[in-house]
């Protein structure tokens, strides 16, 4: 089984941290990761594909190999993924060709990218000893406007073209598809464009994070066995994407509520439902979400792409879902009988259970083992339900529990009960308690870890001829002879029970105790190395926060892991039995014997006192970042908006083309300057502005502020009439300045070209003028598609003066800038201020301390005060990386996790802010804190900083 988690390297732009995330995924019991490549980030400049620095796939592949993680590569060209234009570069959007069609102009645009990235992926295939086992061409290519009998021959030609390029690059591993329609599209044998493995894509819990306890029912899958049999019976049942979290947009709720929507209970109920269908390739999107830093996100997402995933944006493991998934993935890893069992359509009320219970069996097919997946028939039910189950075992049909009482589902829950389950030669006749793992100890010793919810009663049975059960630890346990079996009954409490039946050692733990157990695969020789394989020897330890890996050298167990409190490490099982030593993170531990005959040791946790500066108290330097409002400003270097045509599907409403994308500006803010000669009759200007959901804009006539649009969580365009307050003298020259926050392009449904919807000025009218009286100029990021920052990529910076000059870089030329604080002083009128300061950090080695920049006490709009506007926007730059976009009037994000490596934990840091006050009252920030989420004593590899080029004069900057 491939059990994988989605993780996008581009959302964690510190290559040295990729290993940390891979290890955390691997320690959850997963054996794979699926990832996208974002074409728009690596080929922002047509013809120049970046494959080094933070874009290095090779480093990603090396880290996966080191952690032992198989990879599913998904290079698009279209990826969706809540990225700007779903990964299609801006320069492709302005072509006269439908995106994802077989128009040669579009196809040709993909060639350079696909062949370059294809060749890099090719080298990393498992056939060359690398981690890549599957490649997915395109993404969710399952509809096309007007095509009812999808796919049409056009769709087929395009899909085939993408696949052919990957094959030409040498890809030989199977191709997989991600079909969001679950209609069998592109399944093997379905004609031109068919792939090797068919996969479903599904998000049943949807996206309403504001109501996290409401589980939508309209997309819940009940019959995927049937779908699989109908659409692709010959391939392993694959779910290429399944909902692992959820997302939110501007003005929405915080990501933590998305974690609540798709919580541990959802993972228990909804994922187990998938296992009941016999899924063989299961990929959870997202497993680590990361960050939409540097404008890489689409219009409707904010900076955090935490996604409420199992691993938090800070790389933290404090969500229960992580632990729940660990229980599930480890169980499947040690249950090979699951791979061949036949899944039967679930019937409510069958197998002796009441009608309120759904039972889906996976029946042995070549093995004796059966799996019975049980949940509420109404899967979202919060009821406490009791049931008995008639299961088929080698000792006949048995109604369980046999010793009285009943089994229970308390609230949102689902269970997998097994019969005739092979523990490496010892038969577990049945168990109502769930299996976390089992492992081979030395000789014929087997260790089994069972778990249940506190208060539940469980039962399991083994053959009597094995020997008599002995209780080693705990009390809530009794056993009875039944025919040829021992039936062992366990009342689940918080205390562990351990019982031995001959050489079978059974650990009975309540679920939250099981969360502290870790199963590690021992490394093997080349070519398996650290990759998962059924032949792997396992080590089971009770630890705490995280155990990353284990190795055995001369009966010494070496563990690598992290603790967040003083933690007892107990070795539950190793293939050598008795150990001669235990080494944790390179340190020899003082061990003591446990009651159960194992060893344990205590890892001390003494967190250091960290010197973290109070950002509010630092000296901040300031410059005006809107010098364009001054009459002396010279815009002769600016791009004139002189194009008369556009290939955009939206027809022009203006005499010349004002779509920013058609001038190569695809990211960050946009700044327009409209020159006109007054006739004295001007009374208003009407504007139709587009910037994507959550966008805002501000308008000035010369240096007079006319007004702003502060944005909403739903408007992507807005029309506005702004009054010109004074009469202009006829014949005088004037400039209208419009600053637009450009939120990233939308995603699309195939063939609609919705992602091309232009941003910028869509329409305008200056009263008592013809449109052509206004001559527009435009700037976005300096250089547009020929962007300057090759290290941080094409989307990181926008049109603001300070950005064009590169002042957001470390070491800007600020010695003569004014000293002014964004908190104490701020801006007293509408405009844009740029602030920068520096500070040092010097954290001790061996401590992983995720830090966030947190905005606090934002000004609440006291209109009697200056600097107290409500509507303002900030961009946060850390060592040149835009790592936060804050919109005071929309929110919801206030806390911005900054990974180590973007922030230097041992060295100097440059932090910069653009503060854009949209109200006449100006704006002031309440304060900024640098806040650690946890101090983790960690065996992570300390990352080298991501490339942080410092400021140099930018040639041609205006
Ligand atoms: C899927 C898509 C992903 C992502 C997800 C929602 O349908 O394939 O790329 O956009 O939806 O988070």
């Amino acid at each position: 089984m491939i059990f994988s988690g989605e993780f996008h390297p581009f959302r964690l732009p510190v290559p040295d941290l990729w290993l940390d995330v891979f290890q955390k995924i691997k320690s959850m019991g997963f054996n794979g990761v699926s990832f996208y490549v974002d074409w728009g980030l690596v080929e922002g400049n047509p013809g120049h594909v970046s494959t080094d620095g933070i874009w290095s796939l090779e480093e990603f592949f090396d880290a996966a190999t080191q952690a032992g993680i198989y990879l599913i590569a998904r290079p698009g060209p279209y990826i969706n993924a809540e990225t700007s234009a779903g990964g299609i570069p801006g320069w492709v959007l302005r072509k006269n060709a439908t995106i994802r069609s077989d128009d040669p102009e579009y196809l040709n645009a993909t060639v350079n990218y696909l062949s370059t990235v294809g060749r890099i992926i090719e080298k990393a295939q498992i056939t060359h000893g690398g981690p890549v086992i599957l490649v997915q061409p395109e993404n969710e290519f399952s509809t096309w406007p007007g095509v009812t009998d999808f796919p049409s021959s056009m769709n087929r030609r395009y899909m085939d073209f993408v696949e052919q390029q990957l094959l030409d690059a040498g890809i030989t591993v199977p191709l997989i598809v991600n079909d969001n329609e679950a209609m069998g599209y592109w399944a093997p044998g379905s004609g031109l464009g068919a792939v090797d493995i068919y996969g479903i894509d599904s998000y049943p819990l949807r996206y309403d994070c504001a109501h996290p306890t409401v589980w939508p029912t309209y997309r819940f899958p009940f019959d995927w066995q049937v779908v699989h049999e109908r659409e692709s019976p010959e391939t392993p049942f694959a779910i290429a994407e399944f909902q692992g979290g959820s997302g939110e947009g501007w003005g929405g709720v915080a990501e933590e509520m998305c974690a609540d929507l798709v919580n541990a209970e959802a993972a228990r109920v909804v994922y187990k439902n998938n296992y009941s269908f016999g899924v063989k390739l299961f990929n959870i999107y997202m497993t680590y979400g990361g960050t939409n830093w540097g404008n890489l996100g689409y219009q409707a997402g904010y900076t955090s792409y935490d996604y409420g995933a199992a691993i938090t944006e800070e790389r933290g493991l404090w969500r229960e879902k992580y632990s729940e998934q660990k229980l599930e993935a480890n169980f499947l890893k040690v249950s090979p009988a699951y791979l061949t069992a036949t899944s039967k359509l679930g019937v409510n009320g069958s197998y002796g259970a009441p009608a309120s219970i759904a039972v889906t069996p996976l029946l042995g097919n070549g093995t004796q083992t059966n799996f019975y997946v049980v949940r509420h028939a109404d899967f979202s039910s919060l009821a406490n339900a009791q049931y008995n189950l008639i299961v088929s075992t080698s000792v006949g049909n048995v109604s369980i529990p046999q010793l009285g009482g009943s089994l229970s589902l308390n609230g949102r829950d689902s269970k997998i009960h097994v019969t005739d389950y092979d523990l490496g030669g010892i038969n577990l006749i049945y168990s109502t308690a769930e299996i976390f793992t089992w492992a081979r100890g030395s000789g014929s010793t087997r260790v089994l870890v069972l778990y249940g919810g506190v208060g539940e009663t469980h039962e399991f049975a083994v053959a009597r001829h094995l020997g008599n059960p002995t209780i080693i630890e705990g009390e809530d346990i009794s056993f009875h002879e039944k025919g040829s079996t021992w039936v062992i009954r366990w009342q689940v409490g918080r205390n562990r029970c351990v019982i031995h039946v001959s050489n079978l050692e059974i650990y009975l733990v309540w679920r939250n105790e099981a969360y502290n157990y870790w199963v590690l695969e021992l490394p093997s020789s080349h070519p398996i190395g650290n990759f998962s394989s059924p032949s792997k020897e396992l080590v089971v330890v009770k630890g705490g926060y995280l155990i990353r890996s284990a190795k055995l050298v001369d009966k010494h167990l070496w563990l690598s892991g992290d603790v967040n409190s003083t933690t007892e490490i107990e070795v539950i099982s190793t293939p050598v039995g008795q150990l001669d030593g235990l080494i944790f993170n390179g340190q020899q531990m003082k061990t003591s014997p446990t009651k159960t005959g194992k060893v344990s040791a205590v890892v001390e946790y003494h967190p250091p006192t960290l010197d973290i500066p109070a950002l509010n108290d630092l000296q901040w330097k300031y410059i005006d970042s809107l010098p364009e409002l001054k009459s002396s400003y010279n815009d002769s270097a600016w791009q004139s908006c002189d194009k008369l045509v556009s290939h955009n599907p939206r027809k022009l409403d203006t005499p010349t083309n004002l779509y920013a994308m058609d001038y190569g500006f695809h990211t960050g803010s946009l700044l327009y300057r409209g020159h006109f000669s007054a006739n004295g009759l001007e009374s208003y200007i009407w504007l139709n502005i587009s910037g994507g959901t959550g966008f805002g804009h501000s308008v000035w006539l010369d240096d007079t502020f006319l007004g702003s649009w502060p944005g909403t969580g739903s408007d992507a365009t807005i029309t506005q009439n702004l009054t010109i307050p004074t009469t202009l003298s006829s014949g005088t020259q004037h400039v209208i300045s419009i600053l637009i926050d450009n939120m990233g392009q939308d995603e699309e449904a195939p063939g609609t070209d919705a992602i091309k919807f232009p941003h910028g000025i869509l329409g305008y009218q200056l009263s008592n003028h013809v449109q052509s009286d206004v001559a527009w100029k435009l700037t976005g990021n300096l250089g547009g598609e020929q962007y300057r920052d090759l290290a941080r990529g094409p989307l990181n910076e926008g049109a603001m003066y300070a950005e064009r000059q590169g002042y957001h870089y470390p070491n800007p030329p600020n010695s003569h800038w004014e000293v002014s604080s964004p908190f104490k002083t701020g801006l007293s009128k509408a405009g844009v201020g740029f602030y920068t300061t520096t500070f040092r950090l010097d954290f001790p080695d061996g401590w992983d301390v995720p830090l966030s920049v947190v905005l606090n006490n934002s000004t609440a709009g006291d209109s009697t005060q200056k600097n107290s506007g409500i509507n303002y926007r900030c961009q946060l730059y850390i060592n040149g990386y835009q790592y936060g976009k804050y919109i005071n009037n929309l929110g919801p994000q206030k806390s911005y996790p900054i990974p180590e490596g973007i922030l230097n934990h041992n060295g100097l840091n440059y932090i910069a802010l653009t503060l854009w006050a949209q109200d006449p009252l100006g704006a002031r920030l309440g304060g900024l804190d640098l806040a650690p989420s946890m101090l983790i004593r960690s065996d992570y590899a300390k990352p080298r900083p991501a490339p942080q080029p410092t400021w140099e004069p930018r040639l041609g900057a205006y």
Side-chain angles (χ1 to χ4, degrees):
M1 179 170 183
I2 294 299
F3 203 129
S4 77
E6 186 83 15
F7 158 36
H8 303 148
F10 56 86
R11 283 185 158 121
L12 179 61
V14 183
D16 280 357
L17 288 178
W18 294 338
L19 176 64
D20 178 64
V21 176
F22 281 133
Q23 287 184 331
K24 286 169 175 166
I25 293 176
K26 175 88 176 192
S27 286
M28 199 168 26
F30 290 27
N31 55 12
V33 156
S34 157
F35 70 99
Y36 285 129
V37 185
D38 185 330
W39 178 17
L41 287 171
V42 298
E43 198 185 6
N45 187 358
H48 300 82
V49 181
S50 309
T51 56
D52 56 1
I54 62 174
W55 316 115
S56 168
L57 286 177
E58 275 110 345
E59 284 189 53
F60 191 67
F61 298 154
D62 288 348
T65 304
Q66 200 178 327
I69 285 280
Y70 296 115
L71 293 178
I72 303 168
R74 310 202 295 160
Y78 183 80
I79 59 169
N80 213 62
E82 290 73 70
T83 56
S84 184
I88 304 289
W91 57 269
V92 182
L93 300 180
R94 59 182 168 75
K95 288 189 178 298
N96 189 17
T98 302
I99 303 300
R100 305 162 88 186
S101 73
D102 67 345
D103 186 313
E105 211 182 328
Y106 169 68
L107 296 183
N108 289 339
T110 67
V111 170
N112 193 14
Y113 162 71
L114 274 179
S115 60
T116 308
V117 168
R119 280 197 304 272
I120 296 172
I121 296 172
E122 190 282 318
K123 290 202 207 85
Q125 293 179 105
I126 188 169
T127 46
H128 304 311
V132 176
I133 54 164
L134 293 168
V135 175
Q136 182 196 300
E138 257 293 327
N139 187 50
E140 301 187 319
F141 193 60
S142 302
T143 55
W144 196 265
V147 180
T148 44
D149 193 15
F150 187 86
S152 71
S153 51
M154 193 297 295
N155 304 125
R156 289 186 182 282
R157 283 193 300 273
Y158 169 57
M159 193 68 167
D160 182 60
F161 181 84
V162 173
E163 290 165 13
Q164 201 52 54
Q165 287 187 83
L166 294 169
L167 299 183
D168 290 349
I171 300 296
T172 53
V173 295
L175 301 181
I176 183 169
V177 76
N178 183 38
D179 176 15
N180 52 319
E181 297 285 307
M183 289 292 284
Y185 296 136
W186 313 112
S190 65
L192 187 67
V195 296
D196 303 302
I197 296 183
Y198 175 70
I200 291 176
D201 172 17
S202 170
Y203 289 76
L205 291 155
R206 314 310 295 156
Y207 308 100
D208 187 7
C209 303
H211 302 98
T213 59
V214 181
W215 283 6
T217 51
Y218 59 98
R219 294 253 192 142
F220 186 77
F222 289 96
D223 65 343
W224 275 352
Q225 302 100 318
V226 179
V227 174
H228 175 61
E229 283 304 307
R230 186 181 64 220
E231 308 299 355
S232 192
E234 300 301 319
T235 58
F237 178 27
I239 303 179
E241 276 185 34
F242 197 83
Q243 185 162 14
S246 196
E248 271 290 325
W250 297 107
V253 298
E255 298 283 311
E256 206 48 52
M257 291 183 74
C258 298
D260 290 345
L261 173 66
V262 186
N263 62 2
E265 289 174 351
R268 210 167 283 149
V269 175
V270 187
Y271 297 177
K272 285 182 184 173
N273 185 56
N274 292 339
Y275 313 142
S276 80
F277 306 139
V279 61
K280 304 300 185 310
L281 182 154
F282 187 37
N283 178 47
I284 296 180
Y285 186 109
M286 298 297 297
T287 292
Y288 171 77
T291 310
N292 291 325
W293 64 276
N295 306 307
L296 74 82
Y298 84 135
Q299 56 169 7
Y302 47 82
T303 304
S304 176
Y305 198 68
D306 174 272
Y307 212 79
I311 304 176
T312 73
E313 187 175 0
E314 303 97 315
R315 296 176 289 106
L317 304 183
W318 43 81
R319 289 192 178 132
E320 188 178 352
K321 183 164 56 183
Y322 178 88
S323 303
E324 171 60 34
Q325 290 182 180
K326 181 171 74 171
L327 301 187
E328 297 176 21
N330 275 293
F331 166 59
L332 292 166
K333 186 182 273 186
V334 295
S335 303
Y338 168 81
L339 297 175
T340 50
T342 308
S343 167
K344 302 277 184 197
L345 192 60
V347 184
N348 298 345
S350 55
Y351 299 94
S356 60
I357 301 284
V359 183
T360 311
L362 292 135
L363 299 178
N365 162 25
T367 74
Q368 286 220 314
T369 312
N370 299 324
F371 301 83
Y372 296 85
V373 184
V374 171
R375 58 169 170 77
H376 296 288
D378 163 8
F379 76 98
S380 69
S381 167
L382 294 161
N384 291 347
Q386 314 294 311
Y387 62 98
N388 290 51
L389 207 61
I390 300 168
V391 294
S392 152
T393 77
S394 51
V395 296
N397 283 356
V398 181
S399 174
I400 54 172
Q402 295 194 83
L403 303 179
S406 49
L407 303 174
S408 51
L409 287 175
N410 293 324
R412 285 177 169 159
D413 197 4
S414 171
K415 293 200 160 69
I416 304 179
H417 306 302
V418 298
T419 62
D420 291 294
Y421 183 95
D422 178 27
L423 303 167
I426 301 176
N427 188 28
L428 179 64
I429 295 170
Y430 69 84
S431 174
T432 70
E434 291 183 272
I435 296 172
F436 166 49
T437 191
W438 68 270
R440 292 167 194 271
S442 67
S444 54
T445 309
R446 301 288 177 267
V447 169
L448 168 67
V449 183
L450 296 176
Y451 68 94
V454 162
E456 294 172 358
T457 305
H458 284 291
E459 234 179 55
F460 60 94
V462 290
R464 255 175 56 203
H465 67 74
L466 287 180
N468 291 348
T470 351
I471 299 178
I472 309 293
E473 189 181 314
E475 286 150 12
D476 308 319
I477 198 158
S478 58
F479 35 89
H480 306 263
E481 291 176 41
K482 274 250 170 198
S484 62
T485 67
W486 279 114
V487 177
I488 297 155
R489 179 188 164 96
W490 169 42
Q491 193 62 46
V492 185
R494 278 161 208 261
N495 292 329
R496 173 170 93 176
C497 299
V498 181
I499 115 165
H500 287 183
V501 185
S502 174
N503 44 16
L504 175 62
E505 304 176 357
I506 306 159
Y507 286 73
L508 301 163
V509 292
W510 70 298
R511 184 188 288 118
N512 292 42
E513 164 86 355
Y515 290 165
N516 292 326
Y517 285 53
W518 300 87
V519 186
L520 294 315
E521 297 168 358
L522 290 174
S524 1
S525 53
H526 183 76
I528 299 283
N530 287 335
F531 291 111
S532 294
S533 154
S535 65
K536 285 257 153 152
E537 292 182 314
L538 302 178
V539 164
V540 183
V541 294
K542 182 186 160 201
Y545 183 74
L546 169 67
I547 306 287
R548 295 169 183 270
S549 65
K551 66 179 179 188
L552 265 174
V553 186
D554 300 332
K555 292 193 144 198
H556 285 69
L557 180 64
W558 292 68
L559 295 176
S560 157
D562 297 19
V563 297
N564 63 354
S565 63
T566 294
T567 301
E568 189 193 7
I569 309 272
E570 184 184 351
V571 182
I572 306 290
S573 178
T574 79
V576 294
Q578 284 298 324
L579 291 177
D580 290 342
L582 177 62
I583 294 102
F584 186 81
N585 294 352
Q587 261 187 315
Q588 181 84 43
M589 304 302 295
K590 199 169 142 308
T591 57
S592 30
T594 68
K595 279 196 259 180
T596 52
K598 315 278 165 156
V599 295
S600 76
V602 173
V603 180
E604 299 285 339
Y605 173 81
H606 301 294
T609 311
L610 299 176
D611 194 2
I612 300 178
L615 299 181
N616 301 354
D617 298 341
L618 299 176
Q619 188 191 73
W620 290 76
K621 291 289 191 78
Y622 160 85
I623 49 160
D624 173 20
S625 190
L626 208 50
E628 294 87 351
L629 300 186
K630 298 196 181 97
S631 57
S632 56
Y633 186 81
N634 180 343
D635 64 13
S636 55
W638 286 40
Q639 171 74 50
S640 291
C641 299
D642 51 9
K643 291 185 197 285
L644 298 176
V645 290
S646 172
H647 297 312
N648 200 283
R650 187 185 185 281
K651 295 282 158 282
L652 295 178
D653 290 346
T654 52
T656 64
N657 180 350
L658 300 180
Y659 300 161
M661 60 170 31
D662 282 328
Y663 296 93
F665 299 121
H666 307 294
T667 184
S669 45
L670 303 169
L671 188 54
Y672 286 85
R673 286 167 61 82
H675 295 257
F676 67 93
S677 178
N679 56 19
L681 300 173
E682 297 82 3
S683 60
Y684 68 86
I685 174 158
W686 176 88
L687 294 167
N688 183 4
I689 308 279
S690 158
T693 319
F695 89 103
H697 66 248
S698 296
V699 186
W700 289 263
L701 176 61
D702 306 321
D703 60 357
T704 304
F705 177 58
L706 297 187
S708 289
W709 167 248
T712 70
S714 53
D715 292 296
T717 63
I718 202 79
T719 58
Q720 199 182 30
N721 228 344
L722 294 161
T723 306
I724 295 178
T726 48
T727 308
L728 307 177
S729 325
S730 178
T732 51
Q733 300 302 309
H734 300 274
V735 181
I736 304 159
S737 296
I738 307 177
L739 177 62
I740 304 173
D741 201 2
N742 181 8
M743 311 304 276
Q745 293 296 125
D746 201 358
E747 300 175 315
E748 76 156 6
T752 62
D753 269 356
I755 49 176
K756 291 183 176 174
F757 192 85
H759 292 180
I761 301 177
L762 302 181
Y764 66 93
Q765 187 62 58
L766 180 60
S767 58
N768 290 309
H769 279 270
V770 291
Q771 277 191 320
S772 55
D773 283 354
V774 186
W776 292 97
K777 289 192 155 191
L778 162 66
T779 189
N781 64 306
L782 186 71
E785 288 163 8
Q786 282 71 53
Y787 63 97
R788 298 296 176 90
D789 192 341
L790 297 183
R792 301 176 186 90
L795 301 183
N796 188 54
E797 58 197 46
M800 291 178 184
Y801 171 75
E803 295 175 291
R804 294 183 336 243
Q805 296 293 332
Y807 294 160
H808 53 289
Y809 277 31
N811 207 18
N814 61 5
S815 52
H816 299 297
W817 295 2
E818 201 179 306
V819 172
S820 178
S821 157
F823 320 106
K824 293 168 188 147
T825 317
L827 304 178
S828 56
K829 56 181 194 203
V832 181
F834 181 78
Y835 298 88
T836 171
T837 191
T838 62
F839 58 90
R840 275 183 186 282
L841 294 175
D842 195 12
F843 289 177
D845 276 357
W847 289 87
D848 182 6
V849 183
L851 286 175
S852 297
V853 175
V854 184
L855 283 111
N856 54 40
N857 306 322
S858 59
T859 46
D862 174 356
S863 55
T864 60
Q865 302 267 318
K866 270 185 159 187
N867 321 45
S868 61
I870 303 168
N871 298 304
Y872 62 86
R873 293 171 179 239
C874 273
Q875 295 180 103
L876 178 69
Y877 278 101
I878 309 289
N879 295 315
Y881 288 83
Q882 195 259 70
Y883 237 85
K885 194 156 163 163
Y886 174 73
I887 305 181
N888 188 52
N889 46 302
L890 290 185
Q893 194 178 358
K894 283 187 183 312
S895 178
Y896 296 83
I898 318 290
E900 181 177 0
I902 296 299
L903 202 54
N904 302 321
H905 284 198
N906 297 85
L908 193 58
N909 289 287
Y910 287 83
I911 181 166
L913 281 176
T914 57
L915 173 59
W916 171 2
Q918 290 199 280
D919 292 339
L921 292 168
R924 186 166 52 80
L925 289 179
L928 280 188
D929 285 329
L930 204 51
S933 3
M934 197 179 262
L935 274 61
I936 303 157
R937 187 177 157 189
S938 174
D939 205 27
Y940 80 133
K942 199 167 178 60
R944 289 162 299 176
Q948 299 170 1
T950 55
W951 183 81
E952 283 172 17
R954 283 184 161 187
L955 216 63
Y958 45 85

